[in-house]
């Protein structure tokens, strides 16, 4: 992943953007953070937070003109947050002693400030902190300037005295009753003129970005800029702060204009969903300010605006405790590690690649693209953990091996249409593949062929372009040899893979074909069940398939209810992206969440979704159950076939089709010993992704070589054997050619180097 | 990684003798290291208990995979 691409992706996530209140505030007070501390009653933390943006929090709290109000999202549901009153309460309840302001070491340069309004005092405060000696000239007998007249009645003298006392405590020299001409102050290295509203000709050319006022070293701002009718306390503070930045840069010989885009009042790019927010009316602010209880209540009224739209709908994004901006950075950093621990391998491999995040994201950021790309990089760096996808890739290899893969008509023959049920339908309901094949021939003519294989989706999800390419090439060759027929696809994942990698391929969904063919419900199924339709995530953008599925289901007698997340917004069953294998615990949490969306039985048109739901105890039908089963409701409770059964189902389907249709018998591959496996042991094997086939290999090896352990006083043996890159251990009873009772099995990927001579 | 103190008393079926503790080399992801395990002193067949495979070995595999 290129650094520039990383930045583009990061910028698509707006979770870290300032909320509208903070963006609108010209000094960017963290209003959301303040409200949170206030809601918790942590006034000390609240005022500490305020002091990061405001030199005089109590004064601003009393007089602020609150540009934030117009942008506050709470404004549409009860009234904007009373931010100034919160600030005032924070200062009052949170700051019992005068603040200690730390100063940088002296820089040996001096600045004159003309005028002691908010603008002048803010500049004095900031420059003194930076280590300049500062002198304030005020023509009146007290500090405050225009603030005093404009805020009369709101600014209590004791508040101003307390807040402004910090000025002298910082060692700023104040000369009251002293008029000064900003252009005639020899002995100072720079001057900031903030004399309040003055005739427009006083400083004809003030630079709105840098506050330069025509003469080098002279800067001007405050009410001077806006004129007498437009006094704004908070913009005055902002002027003082921004002028101080300029003066500091001027005195250090730095550029006055570089990187100043974040200053002043800005728009916010943060999105906050407001659909479900209940109105809470704004309180009346008493003249003397909030009590601490009232301040806490007002803090709690803040919506704590944030986006997190994707995190709210995705168990994966939620479970890692962050949000895409962080994740994109972590995943990128993970790929860049040369030596050391790659902590984000699991983050990269856990995404189901379902794309729901992009649907809810205001900027369409798709974590599936990020994770998919990162997995490919990991593979190319030879750093993909083998354990993540090995089992699924072996399953795919088996589906495309001679044991399962087959084409009808046989090589040499051609057809005009080709039914491609996908490897998981053949694994789950092989008889339905056969029935559907015959139904298509009945509806469309005998010129329909059948191709049993895997499309390559597992390789795609695992980031294995080499295996994906191989699967696609093999498919393409077969497809051409069959006369390039139109493809009829039952599985939405196959459809996605082929559309992406073979864009010119003529294909149609089985569900559209059945919909168009007008299949009708046999009379017995007239009053079907009420079910919720689960759209597979790979059909997210296939509106036509979604519609056809609904039409067929209705015609087959189902009364449909929509799930909260359906069609384009559908949720993944947790098989997608091989999440089931790479992070099984997370996958179980994810499917659990999907199952709880409704207590109704589910109906779907992906056999893997169907089986995973059933495996977790959720009653679920496949569309073909409605078509081919007499007792469809009973079929919803059918168990999820084990991984071993899935392999057997595929292999048996091929044998049956070869025997039945081609009048030719496949060689029996089943000369294997009988295994007796109790259901609880079977469940353990399934959880550990151990196939009965692997168990048989271990036992056969042990019985042939005699290499096994025995426990005296029992009839049990323990044997191990390495199959591929996994060592399997089996504890069993029985000898010779069996039958064998399996008590337990486990595996590890580490290789034991057994030697006889140590 | 060492095995716990209490071991089920498995015997080597081929040699008919009790297992003893010994150093065995274990390899993964290009790393190899010695581990003390129960093994047959004559033919070298090793015993890895279920609990060890599921916990400490699995953790070590994850660490090596992420290294
Ligand atoms: Zn031995």
């Amino acid at each position: 992943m290129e650094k520039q691409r990383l930045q583009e992706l990061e910028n698509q996530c707006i979770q870290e953007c300032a909320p509208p209140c903070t963006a609108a505030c010209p000094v960017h007070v963290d209003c959301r953070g303040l409200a949170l501390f206030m809601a918790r009653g942590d006034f000390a933390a609240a005022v500490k937070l305020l002091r990061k943006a405001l030199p005089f929090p109590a004064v601003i709290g009393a007089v602020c003109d609150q540009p934030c109000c117009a942008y506050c999202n709470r404004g549409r549901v009860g009234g904007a947050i009373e931010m100034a009153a919160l600030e005032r309460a924070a200062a009052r309840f949170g700051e019992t002693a005068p603040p200690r302001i730390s100063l940088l070491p002296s820089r040996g340069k001096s600045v004159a400030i003309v005028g002691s309004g908010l603008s002048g005092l803010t500049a004095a405060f900031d420059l003194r902190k930076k280590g300049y000696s500062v002198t304030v000239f005020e023509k009146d007998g007290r500090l405050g300037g225009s603030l005093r007249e404009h805020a009369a009645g709101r600014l209590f003298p004791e508040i101003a005295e307390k807040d402004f006392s910090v000025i002298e405590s910082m060692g700023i020299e104040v000369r009251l009753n002293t008029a000064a001409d900003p252009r005639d102050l020899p002995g100072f290295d720079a001057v900031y003129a903030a004399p309040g509203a003055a005739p427009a000709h006083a400083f004809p050319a003030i630079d709105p970005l840098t506050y330069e006022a025509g003469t080098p070293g002279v800067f001007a701002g405050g009410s001077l800029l806006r004129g007498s009718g437009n006094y704004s306390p908070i913009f005055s503070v902002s002027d003082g702060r921004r002028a101080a930045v300029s003066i500091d840069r001027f005195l250090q010989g730095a550029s006055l204009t570089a990187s100043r885009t974040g200053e002043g009042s800005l728009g916010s790019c943060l999105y906050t969903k407001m659909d479900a927010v209940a109105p809470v009316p704004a309180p009346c602010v008493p003249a003397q300010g909030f009590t601490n209880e009232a301040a806490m209540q007002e803090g709690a009224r803040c919506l704590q605006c944030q986006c997190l739209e994707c995190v709210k709908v995705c168990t994966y994004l939620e479970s890692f405790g962050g949000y895409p901006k962080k994740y994109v950075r972590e995943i990128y950093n993970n790929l860049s590690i040369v030596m050391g621990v790659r902590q984000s391998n699991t983050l990269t491999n856990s995404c189901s690649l379902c794309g729901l995040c992009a649907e809810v994201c205001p900027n369409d950021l798709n974590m599936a693209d990020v994770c998919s790309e990162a997995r490919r990089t990991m593979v190319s760096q030879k750093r993909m953990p083998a354990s993540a996808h090995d089992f699924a890739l072996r399953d795919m290899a088996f589906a495309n091996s001679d044991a399962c893969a087959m084409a009808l008509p046989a090589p040499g023959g051609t057809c005009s249409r080709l039914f491609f049920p996908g490897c998981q339908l053949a694994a789950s309901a092989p008889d339905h593949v056969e029935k559907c094949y015959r139904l298509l021939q009945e509806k469309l003519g005998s010129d329909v062929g059948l191709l049993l294989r895997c499309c390559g989706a597992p390789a795609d999800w695992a980031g294995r372009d080499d295996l994906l390419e191989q699967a696609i090439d093999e498919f393409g060759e077969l497809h051409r040899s069959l006369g390039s027929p139109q493809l009829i696809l039952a599985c939405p994942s196959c459809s996605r893979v082929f559309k992406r990698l073979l864009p010119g391929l003529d294909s149609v969904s089985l569900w559209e074909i059945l919909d168009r063919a007008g299949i009708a419900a046999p009379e017995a199924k007239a009053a079907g069940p009420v079910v919720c339709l689960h759209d597979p995530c790979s059909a997210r953008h296939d509106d036509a398939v979604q519609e056809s599925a609904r039409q067929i289901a209705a015609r087959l007698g189902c009364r449909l209810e929509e799930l909260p997340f359906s069609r384009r917004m559908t949720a993944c069953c947790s098989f997608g992206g091989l999440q089931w294998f790479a992070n099984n615990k997370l996958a179980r949490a994810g499917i659990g969440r999907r199952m709880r969306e409704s207590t109704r039985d589910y109906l779907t048109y992906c056999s893997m979704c169907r089986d995973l739901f059933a495996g977790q105890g959720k009653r679920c039908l496949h569309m073909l159950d409605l078509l081919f089963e007499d007792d469809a409701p009973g079929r919803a409770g059918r168990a999820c076939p084990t991984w071993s059964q899935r392999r057997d189902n595929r292999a048996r389907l091929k044998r049956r089709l070869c025997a039945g249709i081609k009048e030719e018998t496949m060689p029996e591959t089943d000369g294997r010993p009988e295994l007796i496996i109790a259901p609880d042991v079977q469940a353990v094997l399934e959880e550990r992704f151990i196939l009965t086939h692997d168990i048989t290999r271990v036992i056969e090896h042990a019985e042939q070589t005699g290499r096994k352990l025995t426990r005296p006083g029992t009839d049990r043996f323990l044997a191990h054997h390495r199959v591929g890159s996994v060592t399997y251990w089996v504890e069993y009873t029985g000898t010779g050619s069996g039958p064998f009772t399996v008590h337990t099995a486990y595996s590890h990927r580490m290789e034991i180097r057994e030697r006889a001579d140590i | 990684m060492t095995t716990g103190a209490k071991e089920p008393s498995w015997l080597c079926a081929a040699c008919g003798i009790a297992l003893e503790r010994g150093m065995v080399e274990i390899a993964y992801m290009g790393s190899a290291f010695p581990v003390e395990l129960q093994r047959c002193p004559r033919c070298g067949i090793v015993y890895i208990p279920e609990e060890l495979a599921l916990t400490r070995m699995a953790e070590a595999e994850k660490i090596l995979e992420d290294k």
Side-chain angles (χ1 to χ4, degrees):
Chain A
M1 211 188 288
E2 296 297 318
K3 190 128 198 166
Q4 194 192 334
R5 166 127 171 90
L6 163 79
Q7 275 161 2
E8 282 166 19
L9 289 165
E10 276 190 313
N11 290 339
Q12 272 181 272
C13 178
I14 41 86
Q15 169 64 10
E16 285 178 10
C17 291
C21 46
T22 298
C25 175
V27 291
H28 309 307
V29 167
D30 181 356
C31 305
R32 185 177 60 184
L34 174 74
L36 186 63
F37 284 133
M38 296 303 281
R40 290 179 186 158
D42 192 346
F43 303 123
V47 76
K48 211 172 148 194
L49 186 71
L50 271 184
R51 282 212 169 270
K52 288 182 181 171
L54 296 173
F56 315 111
V59 168
I60 283 297
V63 303
C64 189
D65 44 321
Q66 305 190 111
C68 54
C69 268
Y71 302 92
C72 176
N73 282 323
R74 180 47 99 186
R76 288 177 276 155
V77 272
I81 298 298
E82 295 287 352
M83 196 51 62
L86 283 183
E87 290 166 350
R88 189 174 156 194
R92 182 172 161 201
F93 303 122
E95 204 164 64
T96 45
R100 250 182 301 167
I101 313 293
S102 53
L103 312 177
L104 288 179
S106 170
R107 292 177 187 272
K109 287 185 177 168
S110 62
V111 182
I113 309 284
V114 178
S116 73
L118 279 172
S119 170
L121 289 184
T122 300
F125 181 95
D126 284 5
L127 289 165
R128 182 70 195 113
K129 268 187 78 174
K130 288 182 199 286
Y132 298 102
S133 43
V134 177
T135 307
V136 175
F137 296 90
E138 169 55 52
K139 63 182 183 332
D140 286 341
R142 55 182 187 171
L143 295 177
S146 343
L147 175 67
R148 300 273 185 183
E149 9 172 329
H150 288 284
R154 282 183 290 150
L155 181 62
F156 298 92
E158 68 274 16
I159 294 180
E161 296 328 314
K162 185 187 155 215
D163 249 18
F164 290 158
S165 68
V166 75
I167 291 291
E168 290 200 60
S169 78
M170 289 168 80
I172 294 169
E173 188 186 345
V174 176
R175 298 197 196 156
L176 296 174
N177 304 307
T178 310
D181 178 355
R183 297 182 201 274
D184 185 23
L185 284 168
F188 290 98
D189 297 294
V191 178
Y192 179 52
H201 62 263
F203 290 94
I206 301 174
D207 186 307
L209 177 69
T210 62
Y211 296 83
E212 290 167 288
T215 312
V218 178
F219 300 80
S223 298
L224 194 60
L225 276 176
R226 274 176 296 279
S228 54
N230 300 305
Y231 180 67
S232 162
I234 197 67
F235 277 92
S236 290
V237 171
S238 170
D239 287 341
R241 169 142 300 159
R242 296 169 71 186
V245 170
S246 291
I247 290 167
D248 181 38
R249 290 186 182 197
F250 169 76
L251 294 175
Q252 297 203 53
S255 161
L256 297 193
T257 52
S259 333
R260 301 197 69 162
T261 47
E263 294 180 6
S265 187
L266 305 166
S268 168
C269 57
L270 182 66
Y271 170 78
T272 302
K273 195 175 186 174
M274 298 290 295
D275 295 4
V277 178
V280 182
C284 279
V285 183
Q288 69 276 19
F290 280 138
T291 62
N292 52 14
E293 289 86 2
M296 286 167 73
Q297 272 175 25
E298 183 60 357
R301 217 165 57 84
C302 171
L303 298 174
Q304 292 296 312
C305 291
Q306 55 179 340
C307 180
L308 294 186
E309 286 304 302
C310 55
V311 176
K312 288 185 223 163
V313 298
C314 173
T315 306
Y316 156 67
L317 292 175
E318 186 187 35
S319 73
F320 285 85
Y323 41 84
K325 196 181 189 83
K326 279 188 170 180
Y327 297 152
V328 168
R329 167 73 55 171
E330 280 173 32
I331 287 170
Y332 174 82
N333 287 344
N334 200 56
L335 297 176
S336 316
I337 293 169
V338 179
M339 291 289 287
V341 182
R342 277 176 279 276
Q343 284 173 330
S344 302
N345 284 349
T346 309
L347 177 66
T348 308
N349 283 330
S350 295
C351 175
S352 74
L353 310 181
C354 85
L356 178 57
C357 50
E359 298 302 312
V360 298
C361 175
N363 288 327
D364 309 328
L365 175 55
N366 194 339
M367 283 302 289
D369 294 343
V370 176
C371 291
S372 217
E373 195 177 326
R375 288 180 202 178
R376 282 171 164 78
T377 307
M378 285 164 73
V379 169
S380 69
Q381 292 175 336
K382 299 197 186 330
R383 279 164 178 174
M384 176 58 85
S387 59
H389 306 128
D390 212 23
F391 186 86
L393 293 175
R394 278 170 64 197
D395 192 58
M396 170 178 151
F398 184 73
N400 284 342
S401 72
D402 278 342
C404 311
M406 74 173 291
L408 291 174
T414 61
C415 53
S416 61
R417 286 176 161 131
L418 183 65
F419 178 38
F420 192 95
C423 60
Q424 297 301 359
L425 183 61
S428 173
D431 53 327
H432 286 184
V433 170
E434 221 175 321
K435 284 177 181 165
C436 200
Y437 173 49
R438 298 196 195 294
L439 179 71
L440 288 170
Q441 286 191 322
E442 189 187 302
K443 297 279 179 191
L444 305 173
S446 60
D447 199 18
V448 178
L450 174 68
L451 186 56
L452 298 181
R453 297 182 55 79
C454 169
C455 65
D460 189 22
W461 290 331
R464 287 293 300 269
D465 279 332
D466 54 334
L467 298 177
L468 177 60
E469 201 177 308
Q470 188 191 338
I472 291 292
D473 287 351
E474 285 173 11
F475 165 83
E477 204 170 301
L478 280 163
H479 182 250
R480 273 190 302 280
S481 76
L482 289 164
S484 302
Q486 183 190 45
L487 210 57
I488 300 174
L489 298 165
C491 170
S493 293
C494 301
S495 176
R496 272 197 67 179
V497 167
F498 288 139
K499 273 182 187 151
R500 187 163 74 77
L501 294 159
L502 298 171
L505 188 74
D506 178 15
S507 72
V508 62
S509 153
L510 170 67
W511 314 110
E512 287 171 90
I513 289 275
L514 294 179
D515 184 18
R516 273 184 243 150
I519 45 129
E523 57 290 353
K525 297 172 193 162
V530 180
V531 293
C532 285
L533 193 72
H534 163 82
D535 293 300
C537 62
S538 40
R540 184 183 303 291
H541 293 120
D542 209 331
D543 300 349
V545 170
Q546 295 163 12
E547 197 46 44
S548 288
R550 283 161 176 78
Q551 294 292 334
I552 298 168
R555 226 177 294 138
L556 291 171
C558 279
R559 283 162 291 159
L560 291 179
E561 275 182 16
E562 290 290 343
L563 285 166
F565 289 88
S566 75
R567 295 193 188 251
R568 287 202 164 215
M569 297 287 287
T570 193
C572 177
C573 71
S574 298
F575 191 76
L578 303 180
Q579 188 189 60
W580 191 257
F581 306 97
N583 193 338
N584 189 254
K585 194 177 160 200
L586 174 73
R588 284 169 193 269
I591 192 172
R593 174 175 175 160
R594 179 60 166 168
M595 281 157 49
R596 287 189 297 274
E597 280 184 35
S598 170
T599 54
R600 298 278 191 207
D601 291 2
Y602 285 4
L603 168 67
T604 188
Y605 41 103
C606 164
S607 61
M608 205 62 239
C609 295
R610 190 329 289 186
D611 287 345
L612 279 200
F613 282 127
Q616 299 303 299
K618 177 74 183 178
R619 288 170 50 84
C620 186
L621 288 166
H622 188 267
M623 199 66 79
L624 294 180
D625 291 329
L626 295 174
L627 207 54
F628 299 129
E629 298 294 327
D630 291 328
D631 174 26
R635 184 84 173 169
R638 181 173 70 101
C640 170
T642 66
W643 289 108
S644 304
Q645 287 166 341
R646 302 181 87 83
R647 287 193 172 201
D648 291 347
N649 284 343
R650 289 185 195 131
R652 229 176 282 136
L653 175 63
K654 174 172 179 177
R655 287 203 294 276
R656 205 164 60 216
L657 287 168
C658 287
I661 300 168
K662 283 176 61 194
E663 311 289 340
E664 170 198 304
T665 330
M666 283 273 296
E668 268 309 314
T669 50
D670 255 358
R672 300 195 168 272
E674 187 194 340
L675 297 184
I676 301 159
I677 306 176
D680 57 328
V681 176
Q682 187 60 66
V684 167
L685 301 183
E686 203 59 8
E687 221 168 88
R688 295 178 183 174
F689 298 109
I690 296 174
L691 301 172
T692 51
H693 178 75
D694 298 323
I695 288 176
T696 304
R697 303 235 337 232
V698 175
I699 295 176
E700 279 179 345
H701 180 261
E703 292 304 310
Q704 277 159 20
T705 61
R707 282 182 72 80
K708 56 184 179 179
L709 303 175
T710 172
R711 186 184 270 166
T714 74
D715 54 4
R716 294 195 175 195
F717 298 107
L718 180 65
H720 65 279
H721 183 50
R722 196 152 177 91
V723 181
S725 53
V726 180
T727 298
Y728 294 95
W729 292 76
V730 181
E731 190 175 327
Y732 65 96
T733 302
T735 51
S737 55
F740 299 96
T741 303
V742 178
H743 303 294
T744 189
Y746 49 98
S747 70
H748 52 77
R749 308 184 72 88
M750 288 187 169
E751 195 178 351
I752 314 161
R753 299 204 171 138
E754 289 178 312
R755 284 188 301 169
D757 58 335
I758 315 177
Chain B
M1 201 187 308
T2 56
T3 52
K6 265 173 60 184
E7 298 288 309
S9 48
W10 290 99
L11 304 184
C12 173
C15 306
I17 56 175
L19 304 187
E20 290 174 7
R21 286 177 163 282
M23 296 312 287
V24 178
E25 194 174 72
I26 283 200
Y28 192 54
M29 304 282 293
S31 307
F33 39 90
V35 173
E36 194 183 13
L37 289 170
Q38 295 270 313
R39 55 186 284 280
C40 171
R42 188 175 299 158
C43 72
I45 190 172
V46 163
Y47 166 56
I48 291 183
E50 184 166 9
E51 191 260 338
L52 180 68
L54 295 178
T55 56
R56 277 174 296 162
M57 263 180 107
E59 287 157 20
E61 281 171 9
K62 169 121 183 51
I63 289 166
L64 290 170
E65 284 182 341
D66 292 346
K67 214 176 95 179

